[in-house]
Amino acid sequence: MVTTAAFLITMLVGVPISLCLALSGVAFILATGNPLLLQTFPTQLFGGVDSYGLIAIPLFVLIGEIMNGGGITRRLIDMAMAVVGRMRGGLAYVNLIANMLVSSILGSATAQVAIMAQILVPEMEKKGYDKTFAAGLTAYAGMLGPIIPPSIMFVVYSVLAQVSVSDMLIAGIIPGVLLTGLFCLCVYIMGFFYNYPRGESMTWRQRADIVLNAIPTLLIPIVIVGSILTGLANATESAAVGALAALLIGRYWTKELSFSQLPQMLLKAGLYSSVILFLVAVAAVFSWVLVYGKVPQAVAAWVQTVAHDPISFMLLVNVILLVIGTVIDGAPGLIMTVPILLPIAVDVYHIDPVHFGVVVVINLVLGFLSPPVGLCFFVASAVTGAKVGRMFYVTLPFFFAACALLVLLSLVPWLSTVLVK
């Protein structure tokens, strides 16, 4: 009770979520009246980040920085334009396809929305699309970042759940492609109601030139995902190879990257990664507090009175996580829910932890697009000036499409695990 009160009070007064978790751990120790537990606190903090797999996080962030500085993002967008831009609602499809390609490199929803909104929303507005719709679509397309590998949230979940980082990254491929397909279906249907414009026509020669110019940039996701699928490298090693590939492509193919930019890129990657890694460290303390206080056992007893089989449990988890995701960001949401729900899923309902992780991450990412927080909407709004409330309203079909995918994944675990087995 003291721990819960400490967490809520510190969060309500505006203390960063990572410090809320750490201070809640201290409050729990003081409430037990056993000061010897304080000696365990630094051990738990260190143990939380004492994982080889976590090295992948700064490497994935660095890949994104190099990609942006090297002009790789623009070439991927041009390639998507050449392939689907002529269709009705062509730029909307380009938005989704380009985000799918970029997400296979960036792995962060908020970073992806910030980058793509600057590039695509003005272009869509110029061609006759409503700015609010364009910004909202870009925000939903940013969902693909934490789902399609590489994914920082999957790496964090892997450490919390003690499962293979490589397995988690690969498990996101099919759900990510399915989500892209559902979003494209939404654009197709909405295109008839709103009469979305067609893109500019291109000759086959122009299309071929653009695609050929962009093909080398596809080596980055191919190297990352391909090395994991073939077993040539684990997630961390593939991230290192991907960073090297991005550096070489940006410097010698696009020729937009200068080595003088690297120190700034490394600094930004280090700062962003340190925030995530500190969250992972305090997650270890938070998990330890939960186990010591027998919280998972109490929650498991209650859940079993409501959910009597794996499917009903997964549907209940979807509802719980969607609510949590509306007020708490992705990584903190993982830290707060996985230590409680994962033991129940695995030990009581015998659910594959990889499948469970995919559903959990998609739920919490959907929270990025749900009020009152809706972090991706706020990022898109800050970049484009679109209204957050109206953005949510005009993109409701995409919200329902994401919910449909969650139900499908809950009913058909095979979609998450087939590439892992």
Side-chain angles (χ1 to χ4, degrees), residues 211-408:
V211 171
L212 289 174
N213 189 42
I215 280 179
T217 63
L218 294 177
L219 284 175
I220 303 171
I222 290 172
V223 163
I224 295 171
V225 178
S227 59
I228 296 174
L229 279 173
T230 58
L232 294 175
N234 58 35
T236 304
E237 293 163 348
S238 68
V241 176
L244 178 61
L247 178 64
L248 294 176
I249 291 170
R251 182 68 183 91
Y252 297 108
W253 178 260
T254 67
K255 297 181 180 179
E256 294 184 27
L257 180 68
S258 169
F259 288 130
S260 62
Q261 298 173 260
L262 283 179
Q264 185 66 22
M265 291 178 177
L266 290 168
L267 177 62
K268 291 176 68 175
L271 290 173
Y272 183 73
S273 302
S274 65
V275 174
I276 300 172
L277 293 174
F278 183 65
L279 268 172
V280 176
V282 295
V285 176
F286 189 73
S287 301
W288 168 64
V289 166
L290 291 176
V291 172
Y292 198 90
K294 298 183 179 179
V295 174
Q297 293 90 324
V299 175
W302 173 79
V303 166
Q304 289 180 74
T305 64
V306 180
H308 304 289
D309 55 71
I311 292 178
S312 60
F313 170 74
M314 289 300 294
L315 294 177
L316 176 63
V317 166
N318 282 326
V319 175
I320 293 172
L321 291 177
L322 278 176
V323 173
I324 291 174
T326 61
V327 293
I328 299 175
D329 294 343
L334 282 177
I335 290 164
M336 295 177 62
T337 57
V338 170
I340 298 174
L341 296 176
L342 181 64
I344 304 171
V346 175
D347 299 333
V348 178
Y349 295 98
H350 309 293
I351 295 170
D352 189 303
V354 173
H355 164 60
F356 185 73
V358 171
V359 174
V360 169
V361 167
I362 294 176
N363 265 291
L364 293 175
V365 171
L366 187 56
F368 286 163
L369 299 147
S370 306
V373 177
L375 184 61
C376 282
F377 279 151
F378 279 102
V379 172
S381 175
V383 173
T384 65
K387 301 290 185 182
V388 173
R390 188 164 179 269
M391 209 185 300
F392 176 74
Y393 172 74
V394 300
T395 54
L396 269 177
F398 299 97
F399 178 82
F400 293 128
C403 290
L405 176 67
L406 284 170
V407 173
L408 179 63

Side-chain angles (χ1 to χ4, degrees), residues 60 63 100-106 147-151 154 165-174 177 218-243 245 419:
F60 285 146
I63 290 173
M100 184 179 72
L101 295 172
V102 173
S103 68
S104 65
I105 304 170
L106 269 182
I147 301 172
I148 295 178
S151 164
F154 277 154
V165 176
S166 299
D167 287 351
M168 282 307 308
L169 294 178
I170 297 305
I173 294 177
I174 291 179
V177 172
L218 294 177
L219 284 175
I220 303 171
I222 290 172
V223 163
I224 295 171
V225 178
S227 59
I228 296 174
L229 279 173
T230 58
L232 294 175
N234 58 35
T236 304
E237 293 163 348
S238 68
V241 176
L419 295 179

Side-chain angles (χ1 to χ4, degrees), residues 168-193:
M168 282 307 308
L169 294 178
I170 297 305
I173 294 177
I174 291 179
V177 172
L178 284 174
L179 187 60
T180 306
L182 287 172
F183 285 172
C184 286
L185 180 61
C186 289
V187 170
Y188 179 79
I189 295 172
M190 293 171 71
F192 287 102
F193 290 97

